[in-house]
Amino acid sequence: MKKKTRIPRPSGLPREAERLSWLAKGLAHSGSRIEDRYWERLLGEAVRALLEAGNEIAIERALDHLYQSELQAYEELSDVLDSEAETLTAFDKNHDLVLVAAPVLAWSRFQIPARPIPQAVRENLRVHLGAHVFAAGVKFAIFDYLFSPDQLPEGFVATRRWLLAAGKDALAERDHAVDRDALPESAVFLSDIRYVLVAAAVPKENPIFTWQEAEGDRDFAFAQWRKQAGPVLAQLMPGCGTEPELPDAYFTASRKANRDARPFAIHAAIAFLAAEANIAASHLRAVVAPCESQGEFEYRIGLALKHGGQVVHGIPWPLLGADETEAEAERQIQETLKAVGIHDIATLRRTLPLEFCDDCGAPLFPNTEGELVHAELPAQEANESDDLNHTPSGPRYLH
């Protein structure tokens, strides 16, 4: 009998991570839908087993390996991980369970709150979720807390556990109580994202969202959600400018919010400078610099006064997702800056280091000389807004 050839294991890769990598590559190289289904079934089973065992390390090792070696397989594994972490199929004999996020972009010169959601507000949100977001027959539980990004579950295992913990509440159509003492504090940012989380129990083979129903329309649902639920969400964040996003499956909604938060941060910066320092966009020059250190890459945008060149504000713009190119990011940065009224834009062609202030830890931003400096408001206005001068000025992002 001919001896079977053994494929060498990638150096240092644990057996569980090796199997995930092999299955993801099989799916990436599949040549037909029937083969897709085969690989998807095996990959889903392998992922579920690791999630149930709490083996986040093997998952992260497989993702890191594929990100470095084969991006298409990385994307396939990421998609399956998202699905298995945010969805529990056959939660009971009649329902699947799905974690849904309703992000809100927000900015304020004060601290953007992360806080408990009062019962009256949850009841109001329940009405609008039922009317504009969830399909008929869907039962759901609203988590009773408005989360900042650093209070969300860390990793795929924790995400699945959060969903599982809320499952019985979803079936009973009661809201889910969050252990607030276990949540970390939120840092101060000029602009950021806040999240309402919902666990939805969906009847098997039925639609989750209204736009999946006959004659349903996603854009119409979004418009109604923004119109009806927007003022309710704004009540949770007094003194903030807010922009609701469309509720969707947890990872999809989070990633879209991360992308939308970048142009939102530029709009917030212009509004802040106009309100706090009487600096109009027409008085500003933007300097855009690619910055990189130890494999981390992002653009940093310094907003400098045309007269004098002082950098009065800055915005980080990280690349999000393996498929986003530098050219695409530069184009969107240029378009957003022009949309807010800044037409004097310089883009540096040399890459600068990702540097932070030694004293306060805030990121440094490029000036008109191409140097990284601390963003500072003019002296009089700085005294009035000191709480934001020495804190990161852009939003945080989930990767």
Side-chain angles (χ1 to χ4, degrees):
M1 188 171 98
K2 184 177 179 181
K3 184 177 179 180
K4 183 177 179 181
T5 302
R6 188 179 187 280
I7 300 173
R9 181 182 302 178
S11 177
L13 206 60
R15 185 175 301 278
E16 295 88 348
E18 178 193 7
R19 178 164 172 76
L20 281 189
S21 300
W22 179 73
L23 292 170
K25 289 177 182 178
L27 180 55
H29 299 157
S30 170
S32 66
R33 186 69 191 104
I34 191 169
E35 187 182 352
D36 287 350
R37 287 195 291 268
Y38 173 83
W39 290 114
E40 287 169 353
R41 177 175 59 81
L42 293 181
L43 185 55
E45 290 171 355
V47 165
R48 279 194 298 277
L50 292 175
L51 290 174
E52 290 169 1
N55 193 344
E56 191 86 40
I57 294 175
I59 291 169
E60 291 299 331
R61 290 290 299 275
L63 285 170
D64 290 344
H65 171 71
L66 292 175
Y67 187 81
Q68 298 296 327
S69 62
E70 190 163 341
L71 283 179
Q72 186 177 353
Y74 168 84
E75 294 290 350
E76 297 288 3
L77 177 56
S78 296
D79 287 346
V80 174
L81 282 164
D82 288 356
S83 176
E84 295 296 339
E86 70 190 8
T87 306
L88 294 173
T89 55
F91 179 70
D92 68 6
K93 63 180 182 179
N94 298 316
H95 295 86
D96 296 328
L97 198 61
V98 182
L99 185 63
V100 172
V104 185
L105 307 181
W107 80 272
S108 177
R109 63 175 294 261
F110 308 106
Q111 185 168 355
I112 302 170
R115 52 167 292 186
I117 303 176
Q119 181 178 351
V121 175
R122 297 199 308 271
E123 290 174 353
N124 209 336
L125 288 175
R126 179 172 286 277
V127 171
H128 297 307
L129 285 166
H132 310 302
V133 176
F134 290 122
V138 174
K139 302 176 181 180
F140 58 92
I142 300 173
F143 288 63
D144 67 352
Y145 198 88
L146 182 70
F147 298 95
S148 68
D150 51 9
Q151 294 173 324
L152 295 173
E154 294 185 12
F156 298 101
V157 171
T159 301
R160 185 180 176 89
R161 287 174 178 169
W162 277 39
L163 176 60
L164 183 61
K168 291 182 179 178
D169 290 330
L171 288 172
E173 297 190 276
R174 61 173 178 255
D175 293 333
H176 180 64
V178 174
D179 181 4
R180 299 163 191 174
D181 294 336
L183 298 176
E185 294 292 327
S186 295
V188 178
F189 288 78
L190 173 65
S191 63
D192 211 343
I193 311 171
R194 292 295 179 263
Y195 292 88
V196 176
L197 297 187
V198 183
V202 184
K204 283 191 168 300
E205 308 299 328
N206 281 24
I208 305 170
F209 302 112
T210 57
W211 50 88
Q212 295 175 269
E213 296 178 308
E215 300 183 2
D217 183 270
R218 182 187 292 265
D219 291 337
F220 178 77
F222 185 21
Q224 291 301 305
W225 172 254
R226 179 168 286 186
K227 178 181 178 181
Q228 303 294 336
V232 180
L233 294 165
Q235 293 176 25
L236 295 171
M237 292 174 277
C240 298
T242 59
E243 186 174 303
E245 299 259 294
L246 179 66
D248 210 332
Y250 175 75
F251 288 106
T252 295
S254 298
R255 291 197 174 100
K256 185 176 186 305
N258 288 336
R259 289 179 179 270
D260 293 346
R262 298 176 301 180
F264 182 85
I266 293 178
H267 285 269
I270 297 306
F272 170 74
L273 291 172
E276 295 301 316
N278 197 29
I279 299 174
S282 59
H283 297 160
L284 295 170
R285 184 186 194 200
V287 183
V288 182
C291 298
E292 185 173 17
S293 290
Q294 298 180 342
E296 294 291 327
F297 180 92
E298 70 182 23
Y299 285 93
R300 289 193 177 168
I301 306 164
L303 301 182
L305 296 174
K306 286 183 178 179
H307 301 291
Q310 179 180 351
V311 176
V312 294
H313 201 76
I315 304 103
W317 187 294
L319 297 187
L320 301 174
D323 59 337
E324 186 173 25
T325 66
E326 294 177 30
E328 179 186 352
E330 289 185 18
R331 177 187 57 76
Q332 191 176 5
I333 290 169
Q334 293 262 349
E335 291 176 352
T336 306
L337 288 169
K338 290 176 182 178
V340 299
I342 299 178
H343 297 276
D344 189 347
I345 305 168
T347 301
L348 302 184
R349 289 304 153 199
R350 71 180 187 279
T351 301
L352 303 180
L354 272 173
E355 292 187 350
F356 298 82
C357 174
D358 292 334
D359 295 328
C360 68
L364 304 181
F365 296 96
N367 62 13
T368 54
E369 303 299 319
E371 302 167 330
L372 290 172
V373 299
H374 207 306
E376 296 277 1
L377 287 176
Q380 181 177 355
E381 290 80 2
N383 291 334
E384 298 173 1
S385 302
D386 190 60
D387 59 332
L388 287 173
N389 268 330
H390 296 284
T391 55
S393 49
R396 287 151 306 167
Y397 302 95
L398 293 174
H399 295 282

